[in-house]
Amino acid sequence: MSKFAIGEKVDNAADDHEVGTVIAIFPTVEGNVRYAVDMEGYGALQFFAEEKLVVHPALFHSVTRCRRV
């Protein structure tokens, strides 16, 4: 079972945490999982082993409360 899903935002843990989106997941002949990732700003797919990727941290937006007047 793969650690990430297609469409999920991930960071390249080995290279300054660049952001990308998982485009495809496939097994290697050895049985390992590889990911095709569309890295932002490159214009080409890059392929990564599962241990080279981490989940992209979600940005938390503050919620403004409405006041009754």
Side-chain angles (χ1 to χ4, degrees), residues 14-69:
D15 194 15
D16 207 21
H17 287 274
E18 295 173 320
V19 180
T21 304
V22 176
I23 301 299
I25 305 167
F26 54 94
T28 63
V29 173
E30 296 83 21
N32 299 321
V33 177
R34 293 283 190 259
Y35 296 88
V37 180
D38 182 13
M39 300 302 286
E40 293 179 4
Y42 284 93
L45 294 179
Q46 293 189 5
F47 298 89
F48 294 97
E50 194 167 62
E51 60 271 6
K52 299 292 183 182
L53 297 172
V54 294
V55 175
H56 181 70
L59 298 175
F60 295 100
H61 300 285
S62 60
V63 178
T64 343
R65 293 185 180 180
C66 296
R67 293 187 326 180
R68 292 186 182 200
V69 183

